[in-house]
Amino acid sequence: MIAALITLGILALIFGAILGYSAIRFKVEADPLVEQIDAILPQTQCGQCGYPGCKPYAEAIANGDEINKCPPGGEATIRHLADLMGVEAKPLDGAHGTEDVKKVAYIREAECIGCTKCIQACPVDAIIGASKQMHTVIIDECTGCDLCVAPCPVDCIDMIPVKETPTNWQWKLGKNAGGTVGDINIKELT
Amino acid sequence: MGVSAPNSHLVPDWDSVFAQLNKGQMTDFPGGVHPPQAKALSNTTPIATPNLPDVLYIPIKQHSGVVGTISVSIGDQVKKGQALTFSSHPFSVPVHASTSGTITDIMEHPSAHASGLPETTIVLTPDGKDTWDLLPVIEDYKTASAMVLLERISDAGISGLGGAGFPTYIKTNTQKSVECIIINGIECEPYISSDDRIMREHALQIKQGIDILCHITQAKRVIVAVEDNKPEAYKALAEACGDDERMLMASVPTKYPAGGEKQLIQVLTGCEVPNGGLPIDLGILMYNVGTCFAIADAVLYGKALTQRVVTLTGQALTKPQNVWALLGTPIAHLLEHAGYKPDQQKRQKVIMGGPMMGFTVLNDTVPVVKITNCLLVPAQDELPDIDDEKPCIRCGVCADACPAGLLPQQLYWYSKAKELDKAQDYHIHDCIECGACAYVCPSEIPLVQYYRQTKAAIRQEADDKAKSDKAKERFEARQARLLADKKAREEKHRKAAEARKAAMENKGNDAKDKIAAALARAKAKRAAAAKAAQDNQQDDAN
């Protein structure tokens, strides 16, 4: 009886020590799920989901919030989130905005007064300029989040759709084949 | 044709491959179709040279890769063969003035692409003299180093003339050892006969190009493959290559798409190019016959790539034929040359490329570019004009036709459902877009269009992912910077406050000292005054 108690006690101590050591040795810094969700989100930091950035929304999703609140990500992001979270994909929640064509910010430079307000608003440092100097957008870095438009006191920022070129052109299906341009229909020649 | 067991993913054993080819034994590739050839329409007359067009539209991007910077400005006089762009980027080759004349504009012009979207284009008005600006001729290429020859191939703007437009010098400048060069004279797509004609008429110069490639790559073997429906071309090339021991002529059975790079390698060697790999992984480099001709032009004659053979064909033309078209020639000029009859068509429609892989062009000002091998102008009932997709009946005929051994039906479902991951699992990127599946589909589903769309979506998604990763990095860097700034500011404020406090304390001490000093001074004064009074009293007493 006593031997059994001692044995079990020793075993409990050993396993406890192993567990305790593992907890320190293999400590996970952040919630990996949040990181995974964050990696799927489009990182525009636009706040259209109602959270102050992509990471906070990722945390909210990990805690059970809806996955359909991200208009810049659109259908593709919802599909990936649904895969990751193991839930049904659902259509984008219209209350948070609609999926739009890709855009980038453009500053009408002649009208810019150099107030730096947009520079402070840009979450990805895509606007260069200095106080009382003209500002401009680095188009390659702009995520099209819209956050610089509201702070501009002279309304000199436009959101311009990304230009369609032969490189980023999407093949269109169906009717245009019977129309004027694009692919030809292939069929066994009889 | 003997069919040997496919030894996939293995490097070919060249001695046995050559022994088998000498016996006429080749491997078959899976699938494939036999559409009506319709080549006799255009391949009976010699390659003609049309008049100079009134204007040339030269797009600055005619190869796959990076665009160069324009090195001329409006109003400049240029000579034929003069480079119009330059770039130090390795994935870029220049474009050249196709004739002598004046640069009259640099503008956005409809592209020779399925989208027809405008691209930056240099507009050249010919002066009619056609004066060359030749590169220095490398007469004895055998004494020239590979680097010099590669540089020439690059400077002459040569990119693959077979279809993909990959810069030739990049392909040739490989670090791996080249066992065998395959010259692709298959031209399997119906209607097209530009390679056929160039082989018949310029076999000797093609041979010169092959010799130059052999010298650069030090390849020991060459297979010249011609489809067996082109006996004249085969004969011409066999005569040109006749006494060269490295060369082997192969007459490949006609089947579409035998001219596909991977399919041809499978037919000739029995080996498959591994998934995601390149022919060079098997020690093979493949060149189109037109590319070989252009290489000889560039090295031995100093001519940059300014023209190519284009097949003008279709029953809506009175004189279907092959022509030497200057790059940048608007297709309207060539159609006029070939006697275009608009009344033969229900609505005007010109296909750039062949009936299987081509696309309809936006309008008749679209220019001929380096990869334009054919202009097909079908009469009203010549090609089916359908837009009547019916539901898939899961007959599986497409899978039998696929030359890449894919499952077109599965790819179709995944494309339709936008399941990009699944489509990739089913190797959509191995699809060569040959159109064999769509050709046999009884439901007339434009399968290739679905795959192209899915491929574009996959590319787009990868781009978006790269962009969002970059945005995240920048966002986090910004957050870190703002935090650091805030901390630095707080630290500064704290230090300033400390300094003020210290200063205050110091000031306090000063004041006390001053008061003490003042008191001491007053005390001393008083003492002095008292002493003086005492002295006076003593003086008075004396």
Side-chain angles (χ1 to χ4, degrees):
Chain A
M1 176 67 184
I2 289 174
L5 279 177
I6 291 169
T7 315
L8 283 176
I10 289 170
L11 279 175
L13 281 176
I14 291 170
F15 287 130
I18 292 173
L19 280 175
Y21 173 73
S22 319
I24 299 162
R25 178 72 179 78
F26 302 110
K27 190 165 192 262
V28 178
E29 283 300 333
D31 186 354
L33 183 62
V34 172
E35 289 299 323
Q36 285 173 27
I37 298 171
D38 198 28
I40 293 173
L41 294 174
Q43 303 300 324
T44 51
Q45 319 295 347
C46 63
Q48 289 182 69
C49 50
Y51 295 94
C54 293
K55 190 96 180 233
Y57 181 41
E59 282 161 9
I61 292 176
N63 291 325
D65 199 353
E66 294 291 344
I67 58 169
N68 60 349
K69 294 185 177 178
C70 179
E75 208 189 323
T77 298
I78 293 174
R79 213 171 42 238
H80 281 125
L81 286 174
D83 279 352
L84 179 67
M85 303 298 290
V87 295
E88 274 300 296
K90 48 182 102 176
L92 188 66
D93 186 351
H96 293 276
T98 47
E99 192 172 354
D100 203 354
V101 290
K102 290 252 176 310
K103 288 181 178 172
V104 289
Y106 172 76
I107 295 177
R108 290 194 301 279
E109 289 167 353
E111 292 166 41
C112 173
I113 55 169
C115 69
T116 75
K117 288 209 163 86
C118 56
I119 296 180
Q120 292 158 36
C122 179
V124 290
D125 284 335
I127 303 177
I128 46 173
S131 180
K132 300 205 177 89
Q133 306 289 321
M134 179 195 77
H135 303 343
T136 197
V137 177
I138 311 170
I139 288 175
D140 284 347
E141 308 295 351
C142 176
T143 62
C145 68
D146 236 19
L147 290 179
C148 53
V149 176
C152 180
V154 291
D155 276 340
C156 72
I157 304 180
D158 294 322
M159 297 303 293
I160 297 180
V162 176
K163 204 178 145 200
E164 197 176 37
T165 63
T167 337
N168 67 9
W169 183 69
Q170 303 274 328
W171 285 83
K172 290 169 187 74
L173 278 175
K175 293 304 167 194
N176 80 335
T180 51
V181 187
D183 206 3
I184 54 165
N185 280 298
I186 307 156
K187 195 194 168 193
E188 199 145 8
L189 308 164
T190 44
Chain B
M1 180 182 64
V3 178
S4 60
N7 44 352
S8 324
H9 301 268
L10 292 173
V11 178
D13 170 12
W14 289 105
D15 289 333
S16 68
V17 164
F18 269 64
Q20 284 196 334
L21 286 176
N22 274 324
K23 280 186 265 170
Q25 285 183 349
M26 288 175 214
T27 319
D28 196 10
F29 65 91
V33 289
H34 292 96
Q37 296 289 315
K39 291 191 189 258
L41 211 55
S42 57
N43 72 358
T44 49
T45 51
I47 306 171
T49 308
N51 301 330
L52 275 178
D54 296 334
V55 67
L56 291 162
Y57 298 102
I58 304 171
I60 59 168
K61 184 172 192 281
Q62 300 187 29
H63 60 275
S64 57
V66 178
V67 185
T69 316
I70 297 175
S71 56
V72 289
S73 43
I74 297 172
D76 283 4
Q77 296 287 328
V78 292
K79 283 184 174 171
K80 182 171 186 163
Q82 184 180 332
L84 302 178
T85 63
F86 70 95
S87 174
S88 51
H89 195 282
F91 260 85
S92 186
V93 289
V95 295
H96 299 83
S98 308
T99 184
S100 56
T102 317
I103 307 291
T104 43
D105 205 353
I106 295 170
M107 60 171 193
E108 300 285 301
H109 187 77
S111 58
H113 181 265
S115 65
L117 287 168
E119 271 187 328
T120 309
T121 302
I122 297 170
V123 183
L124 172 62
T125 306
D127 59 10
K129 293 179 194 140
D130 211 28
T131 32
W132 269 100
D133 178 18
L134 291 174
L135 298 158
V137 172
I138 307 174
E139 264 173 39
D140 191 7
Y141 66 87
K142 281 186 178 151
T143 55
S145 73
M147 259 352 271
V148 171
L149 295 171
L150 285 169
E151 203 178 312
R152 169 56 55 88
I153 291 172
S154 167
D155 289 347
I158 298 174
S159 54
L161 299 180
F166 191 80
T168 301
Y169 87 96
I170 298 175
K171 177 151 95 176
T172 313
N173 189 14
T174 175
Q175 301 303 317
K176 298 183 182 166
S177 102
V178 181
E179 294 296 326
C180 180
I181 289 178
I182 297 178
I183 304 301
N184 189 339
I186 299 290
E187 197 166 58
C188 54
E189 195 162 355
Y191 282 98
I192 308 175
S193 60
S194 55
D195 287 350
D196 186 6
R197 284 310 315 187
I198 204 172
M199 285 188 281
R200 287 195 211 184
E201 295 174 34
H202 299 283
L204 277 173
Q205 189 168 335
I206 292 171
K207 170 72 167 60
Q208 287 175 325
I210 298 171
D211 288 341
I212 294 167
L213 285 170
C214 285
H215 175 67
I216 296 173
T217 59
Q218 298 294 317
K220 293 168 231 42
R221 299 179 173 87
V222 179
I223 304 174
V224 182
V226 182
E227 220 169 33
D228 62 7
N229 61 356
K230 291 182 258 301
E232 299 91 346
Y234 182 89
K235 208 175 136 221
L237 275 177
E239 270 169 26
C241 303
D243 52 350
D244 196 327
E245 282 173 11
R246 296 170 302 179
M247 308 265 182
L248 176 75
M249 293 295 300
S251 179
V252 176
T254 300
K255 181 163 95 168
Y256 180 82
E261 190 172 58
K262 291 176 178 174
Q263 281 66 37
L264 185 55
I265 288 173
Q266 198 173 355
V267 167
L268 296 174
T269 68
C271 294
E272 281 186 53
V273 178
N275 174 304
L278 290 170
I280 190 64
D281 298 336
L282 303 182
I284 299 170
L285 286 179
M286 190 180 290
Y287 297 91
N288 172 266
V289 284
T291 313
C292 298
F293 180 87
I295 289 170
D297 243 1
V299 173
L300 304 175
Y301 306 98
K303 290 180 181 174
L305 181 60
T306 59
Q307 61 175 10
R308 67 158 295 142
V309 183
V310 179
T311 304
L312 309 174
T313 186
Q315 288 169 12
L317 297 179
T318 30
K319 293 173 285 178
Q321 59 184 297
N322 280 284
V323 292
W324 280 111
L326 296 179
L327 300 178
T329 308
I331 61 172
H333 182 75
L334 298 177
L335 296 182
E336 196 192 313
H337 174 81
Y340 172 47
K341 295 172 288 184
D343 56 320
Q344 295 284 313
Q345 288 188 307
K346 196 158 55 190
R347 59 183 170 73
Q348 300 202 354
K349 175 179 178 180
V350 176
I351 296 163
M352 192 173 269
M356 305 295 278
M357 293 183 72
F359 56 89
T360 43
V361 295
L362 182 70
N363 60 34
D364 63 2
T365 64
V366 167
V368 166
V369 295
K370 289 175 187 173
I371 57 170
T372 307
N373 51 5
C374 178
L375 293 174
L376 171 56
V377 198
Q380 196 165 326
D381 297 318
E382 192 174 354
L383 284 181
D385 193 16
I386 45 156
D387 195 7
D388 191 17
E389 180 182 343
K390 296 172 201 68
C392 173
I393 57 169
R394 287 206 179 259
C395 63
V397 178
C398 49
D400 293 338
C402 180
L406 301 175
L407 296 172
Q409 210 183 84
Q410 292 307 110
L411 291 174
Y412 163 67
W413 294 116
Y414 294 136
S415 297
K416 223 174 167 180
K418 294 204 171 68
E419 291 192 57
L420 306 183
D421 297 347
K422 287 271 181 54
Q424 275 169 292
D425 289 348
Y426 280 77
H427 303 295
I428 193 163
H429 284 296
D430 285 343
C431 168
I432 58 167
E433 301 179 15
C434 67
C437 52
Y439 175 75
V440 297
C441 179
S443 290
E444 298 170 6
I445 302 170
L447 290 161
V448 182
Q449 291 194 41
Y450 278 99
Y451 307 151
R452 282 172 171 162
Q453 206 179 33
T454 304
K455 281 182 181 177
I458 290 169
R459 205 165 47 237
Q460 186 70 46
E461 203 179 62
D463 285 356
D464 285 353
K465 178 80 185 119
K467 194 153 188 205
S468 85
D469 286 350
K470 196 163 81 170
K472 190 173 176 204
E473 200 177 299
R474 287 180 76 87
F475 175 66
E476 280 165 1
R478 179 187 154 92
Q479 295 294 94
R481 196 192 69 225
L482 291 181
L483 199 69
D485 279 0
K486 200 176 158 201
K487 272 198 182 141
R489 214 163 41 238
E490 277 168 4
E491 180 71 13
K492 203 169 129 194
H493 286 167
R494 196 178 58 77
K495 276 198 177 143
E498 264 176 16
R500 258 198 317 278
K501 206 170 153 197
M504 198 78 106
E505 273 168 14
N506 283 339
K507 254 185 213 156
N509 292 342
D510 277 4
K512 273 181 202 159
D513 289 351
K514 274 179 191 159
I515 292 167
L519 283 174
R521 274 199 310 277
K523 210 174 168 183
K525 234 180 186 172
R526 266 206 307 278
K531 201 175 175 227
Q534 216 175 9
D535 289 350
N536 281 345
Q537 276 175 4
Q538 274 176 5
D539 286 349
D540 288 346
N542 292 337

